[in-house]
Amino acid sequence: MTITKKYTLFQEQILEGIPHKLPAKKAFPKNANRAPIRKDILSIDDKKLAIRNALRYFPEEWHEELAKEFSEELRDYGRIYMYRFKPDYELYARSIDTYPAKIKSAAAIMLMIQNNLDPAVAQHPEELITYGGNGSVFQNWGQYLLTMQFLAVMSDEQTLHMYSGHPMGLFPSSKDAPRVIITNGMMVPNYSRPDDLERFNALGVTQYGQMTAGSYMYIGPQGIVHGTTITLMNAFRKILKENENSRGKIFLTSGLGGMSGAQPKAGNIAGCLTVCAEVNPKAAIKRHEQGWADILIDNMGVLVDRVNVSKENNEVLSIAFIGNIVDVWERFYDENIFVHIGSDQTSLHNPWSGGYYPVDLSFDQSNELLKDDPELFKKKVQESLRRQTSAINKHASRGTYFFDYGNAFLLEASRAGADIMADNEIDFKYPSYVQDILGPMCFDYGFGPFRWVCTSGRSEDLDKTDEIALNILREIKATAPKEIELQMNDNIIWIQDAKKNKLVVGSQARILYADAEGRIKIATAFNNAFRSGKISAPIVLGRDHHDVSGTDSPYRETSNIYDGSQFTADMAIHNVIGDSFRGATWVSIHNGGGVGWGEVTNGGFGMLLDGTKESEIKLKNMLFYDVNNGIARRSWARNKEALYAVKREMERTPGLKVTLPNIVEDDLLDALYE
Ligand SMILES: NC(=O)c1ccc[n+]([C@@H]2O[C@H](COP(=O)([O-])OP(=O)(O)OC[C@H]3O[C@@H](n4cnc5c(N)ncnc54)[C@H](O)[C@@H]3O)[C@@H](O)[C@H]2O)c1
């Protein structure tokens, strides 16, 4: 690898790992968006244990000084982040050749880690949190430094094992093995209550990796824009009459954070009038400045006037509103503003630690209360959820189509005692977007959020990959059955307009929903394109964990499974093991992510396409399993779209033979219990 002079210091620092000399304490960067202060949950003995755990990363002669500092971090922030060890160099996805690694796959992983910590991408970069309020890449800067050092020195016959951000170390393996195995938050099942996370995370022995944060596969809000666009377009298809379009029709929602920040942009692409409330002014301003929302309003009266004018003019517009979503739902009802589609993307997977801010308190007041009186804060959150639900119910009685967008809104509202249950007292009043839209229309056919990153960092490479993907989708569409025509069309439009929609934040990355056939053909073409010099550097392939096979989550990804198995996690576990020996460059499996700790098991992979024949064999093997595992499980659960898809796949892939369900008539069962 050529080492350019410009980056020598950066490379040296990576190779050094934990610095030989104790670095000086640092000030926080101006305007840093800091993580909320976590609950003070540890006993005195636990606090000593947390500090003892943190000090094991450092030589004894530093212990006295660091012990005091870490105890202060624990007191002031509820966690030990080891701020002093944050490196001086900038964190962002550099071009792959810049990393001081012995092997390209390790350099690619370093690039992806740095992308996840880039302040333009990450929500709370000082605390190593990428998105979702607590989606961590590492628990502390010591782990970051050691991991980068391990990656720099590893060979292609070693595997790095990551325990919730902690690099356990390099172990001998083989060329065909994954280079990194990641687990995040995996607990003995009885220890997955929300307070267990707080305690064990504060002790420094586990972390919440969310989905793509802890697996280094987050690519900024673009990753979610596509899914949100598909969801919104299909939601409008459900409610609009044939001669109507979505212009000037209101989509009301909340959250302008890591993923929720994608909503206004998706609203623009879907062609509606989006109102997105956000309590944290910094988050709202950041998204507006990045061009993800058209206008910023911080006054309710101004908002009401603007929405009325925009409705009147059938505008396609996205409004970032600085304020609490509960106020907007209530005020819009009082003002007779009809909301066509409603949803919510506050971080309710993390309700008691700053994921949801209660109404009637300012953002700063909420943060104070969270620190000083967590019990009262919890009460306020629950009160607020009851109020929000009651306002949504009133809108729904006027005809609003409300759906849960996978943030555990329905679940937490029900736990707060809100009027959210259906008459049968088992189901919720409102569907999740997977039950109504993504499950039957995408996942059951194998369509999911495939993504790639151009490791050169050059936008020209991204343009070429977009063009390759577009041509392949067009080819597939020419002979595709009518069952998947809609998906093919939506995805072709998406990739055609992707550049125009300016979706890139951080690395040169692209997201595209595709099925197994599409993913394999596109990946093969990328591999060939690098081999032939059409693109200038290898491609990293991956996906969101929120996909066909990677995630078991009864209130989200698997909420449209109705055979009782939605509470099992066999699919996600099979997936990570299956992907790992079929060629993934790295694999990950997490507890939590999306809907919350203990509520979901989710996994993902990363794969480097380096232009070789081996890469081609691996991608075909692994991507096929990575999609069809989930289709098989969904078809066994009797989902008719998945049954169709798996039968079609078995016809064209002789090696695939899955167990198919026999369908029982309702009458036969009803007669048994008459
Ligand atoms: N199903 C999916 O594909 C999907 C996609 C995106 C996000 N999600 C879920 O949505 C949630 C949000 O994700 P994120 O990455 O954007 O999290 P985030 O924490 O970065 O953003 C949430 C934002 O909501 C704001 N907020 C909290 N309470 C509010 C209130 N009462 N009124 C207005 N704003 C409020 C917060 O200030 C924060 O900026 C998570 O639970 C995530 O898992 C699901």
Side-chain angles (χ1 to χ4, degrees), residues 616-629:
E616 187 173 329
I617 295 167
K618 285 178 176 178
L619 78 87
K620 286 184 173 157
N621 235 331
M622 198 212 74
L623 291 175
F624 182 86
Y625 177 75
D626 188 61
V627 176
N628 281 292
N629 169 38

Side-chain angles (χ1 to χ4, degrees), residues 123 132 258-260 278 324-325 345 347 349 357 405 433 556 594:
Q123 185 186 19
M259 293 203 289
S260 47
E278 167 57 64
N324 199 296
I325 183 63
Q345 263 193 57
S347 275
H349 68 275
Y357 285 86
Y405 197 55
Y433 71 114
R556 209 167 90 172

Side-chain angles (χ1 to χ4, degrees), residues 107-381:
I109 297 169
M110 292 161 107
L111 178 160
M112 295 298 287
I113 288 175
Q114 292 207 327
N115 190 49
N116 276 256
L117 295 172
D118 178 345
V121 174
Q123 185 186 19
H124 305 303
E126 297 302 302
E127 289 79 21
L128 304 111
I129 287 169
T130 303
Y131 72 91
N134 59 353
S136 308
V137 189
F138 300 97
Q139 297 176 62
N140 57 57
W141 288 103
Q143 294 177 342
Y144 165 83
L145 294 176
L146 281 177
T147 303
M148 294 298 272
Q149 185 187 36
F150 275 129
L151 287 166
V153 300
M154 80 184 295
S155 78
D156 62 4
E157 293 192 336
Q158 287 173 306
T159 294
L160 175 62
H161 287 259
M162 300 295 301
Y163 281 40
S164 284
H166 170 69
M168 192 54 76
L170 292 171
F171 292 75
S173 59
S174 75
K175 285 195 168 61
D176 288 334
R179 297 281 67 85
V180 180
I181 303 273
I182 303 163
T183 57
N184 278 307
M186 298 311 290
M187 303 300 289
V188 173
N190 248 348
Y191 298 86
S192 266
R193 288 157 303 193
D195 268 357
D196 291 327
L197 167 64
E198 296 298 328
R199 177 158 181 265
F200 292 110
N201 188 211
L203 285 176
V205 294
T206 195
Q207 73 173 0
Y208 194 77
Q210 268 283 8
M211 292 194 149
T212 48
S215 59
Y216 326 143
M217 196 40 79
Y218 187 72
I219 56 166
Q222 173 188 184
I224 202 65
V225 178
H226 190 18
T228 314
T229 305
I230 289 183
T231 307
L232 258 183
M233 280 177 11
N234 286 309
F236 275 114
R237 279 183 186 129
K238 281 174 97 71
I239 63 157
L240 293 180
K241 302 197 185 80
E242 223 162 73
N243 56 352
E244 285 182 328
N245 66 39
S246 49
R247 295 184 76 89
K249 309 269 184 317
I250 297 179
F251 166 46
L252 173 58
T253 186
S254 58
L256 286 167
M259 293 203 289
S260 47
Q263 296 178 102
K265 187 133 209 158
N268 283 4
I269 300 172
C272 64
L273 172 55
T274 305
V275 178
C276 191
E278 167 57 64
V279 280
N280 179 351
K282 274 189 188 142
I285 291 165
K286 180 172 163 181
R287 289 296 174 220
H288 178 243
E289 280 174 0
Q290 286 175 337
W292 289 70
D294 297 328
I295 58 173
L296 187 66
I297 296 180
D298 63 0
N299 174 291
M300 184 65 86
V302 176
L303 176 70
V304 167
D305 291 346
R306 183 62 208 251
V307 165
N308 280 325
V309 170
S310 300
K311 253 177 67 177
E312 199 61 31
N313 296 335
N314 284 337
E315 268 185 88
V316 175
L317 180 77
S318 52
I319 304 174
F321 174 67
I322 301 180
N324 199 296
I325 183 63
V326 182
D327 289 326
V328 185
W329 278 111
E330 291 180 344
R331 182 69 182 267
F332 277 22
Y333 186 80
D334 293 342
E335 298 281 345
N336 259 322
I337 296 178
F338 181 71
V339 174
H340 296 79
I341 292 183
S343 196
D344 189 271
Q345 263 193 57
T346 55
S347 275
L348 274 164
H349 68 275
N350 176 32
W352 321 131
S353 304
Y356 180 93
Y357 285 86
V359 65
D360 291 342
L361 291 178
S362 72
F363 181 64
D364 290 337
Q365 286 168 335
S366 280
N367 282 329
E368 282 295 307
L369 186 66
L370 175 60
K371 180 163 72 79
D372 298 339
D373 192 345
E375 274 314 303
L376 183 59
F377 180 82
K378 184 172 172 177
K379 264 200 192 135
K380 294 257 176 216
V381 166

